Amino acid sequence: MMERVPIFPHVLELNLQARQRIGCSVYLIYDDAQWALIDIGYEDSVDEFVELIRQLDFPLSQCNTLIASHADVDHIQGLAKAKQLLRTTVTCHRLAAEALEKGDTLSTFAEVPAQDIQLAMPPVEVDQLVDEGDTIEIGGLKLEVWHTPGHTAGQLSFRLGNLLFSGDNIFRDGCVGAIDAHHGSDIPAFIRSLERIRASDVQWLLPSHGPVFRKDNQLLDATITRLKAYQHMADFGTCAVDWPLIDEWEKELAAGKLPE
Ligand SMILES: [Zn+2]
């Protein structure tokens, strides 16, 4: 048996528990014998995580549900395998469900042909859809569901007391989850999600990649300011809202302005 090292009461993070990076952050939330996971990571690491959970003395039959924070391959590829092993349910937002059930390789980033990335995306049946304002019960704990779109349309966050499992909204270095049109990224929605996190009184952010960190409004402000600029930059292609240079150019064309 292995000693549990909770990062907060009722919360383990399995990479930290293993003292090595296995994949994305995998949060195990528990109350007595009942437990649930937020994300599972790649299929290759499922056996390792399940063995770790067994070593931590959680009854494998008492997994309430496997929660997908959103439908990106690095968070969910292992869901089908884990669901079968643990004989439990899968929970996600309705806007993530189709990608999971179809094993959609494009919107999950499993396949990026231009970069020669070709990963499997095993389909998995979704049992429970959750949305803004719902709660997920784990023993006596109530996980409050926030819909925080932006990185993807189906991105969820979960509040437990002063903790926010914040998905790919923001990381400790101020980076955010990839902004990509194939993925349903929406920069204005992303800004609203970050502003909501900023306005909340949660104290800790538990992201889906990298270390847990204290909510820092200066960090959030810097990230929000950056994303506000992204809305008007060609760098973000079809994810940008507009490109002011083209408006200027049209005026200059109409005026017949020559290069200066
Ligand atoms: Zn991610």
Side-chain angles (χ1 to χ4, degrees), residues 57-250:
D57 205 18
F58 290 101
L60 295 187
S61 62
Q62 302 268 340
C63 176
N64 280 28
T65 192
L66 300 169
I67 302 167
S69 67
H70 64 295
D72 271 354
V73 68
D74 55 328
H75 298 253
I76 52 142
Q77 191 197 41
L79 275 181
K81 182 171 178 179
K83 181 180 178 180
Q84 195 184 27
L85 279 173
L86 297 166
R87 298 170 195 281
T88 185
T89 61
V90 166
T91 299
C92 70
H93 190 266
R94 70 188 150 78
L95 295 175
E98 190 182 327
L100 287 177
E101 295 201 318
K102 286 191 173 160
D104 183 334
T105 53
L106 191 63
S107 73
T108 59
F109 273 0
E111 249 187 293
V112 186
Q115 294 184 326
D116 222 7
I117 295 173
Q118 235 178 339
L119 302 172
M121 185 48 236
V124 63
E125 198 182 323
V126 174
D127 306 279
Q128 193 185 355
L129 296 177
V130 288
D131 205 344
E132 177 63 36
D134 289 341
T135 50
I136 298 172
E137 293 189 14
I138 304 161
L141 303 176
K142 285 182 169 37
L143 210 54
E144 182 188 314
V145 177
W146 291 15
H147 182 214
T148 49
H151 169 55
T152 67
Q155 173 80 61
L156 294 173
S157 301
F158 306 93
R159 182 171 181 159
L160 182 67
N162 63 356
L163 312 179
L164 186 70
F165 299 90
S166 48
D168 281 3
N169 278 294
I170 186 167
F171 308 115
R172 193 176 72 181
D173 61 359
C175 286
V176 299
I179 294 170
D180 187 293
H182 285 121
H183 210 221
S185 296
D186 180 327
I187 301 176
F190 214 148
I191 292 167
R192 287 192 295 275
S193 294
L194 290 167
E195 285 174 337
R196 176 182 185 183
I197 292 169
R198 190 199 187 285
S200 76
D201 60 359
V202 303
Q203 286 178 307
W204 293 96
L205 299 182
L206 291 77
S208 292
H209 301 279
V212 170
F213 59 106
R214 209 176 263 279
K215 175 174 170 272
D216 172 352
N217 285 346
Q218 278 185 342
L219 180 83
L220 278 154
D221 284 341
T223 297
I224 290 166
T225 301
R226 207 172 73 240
L227 266 66
K228 282 186 173 167
Y230 290 174
Q231 294 182 107
H232 313 291
M233 292 174 70
D235 308 31
F236 295 88
T238 53
C239 289
V241 174
D242 59 17
W243 188 13
L245 178 65
I246 294 302
D247 300 332
E248 275 177 50
W249 189 37
E250 282 180 359

Side-chain angles (χ1 to χ4, degrees), residues 13-29:
E13 197 286 302
L14 296 186
N15 295 266
L16 183 64
Q17 183 70 51
R19 293 236 189 158
Q20 58 170 327
R21 188 172 73 83
I22 301 170
C24 73
S25 304
V26 177
Y27 294 104
L28 188 155
I29 302 161

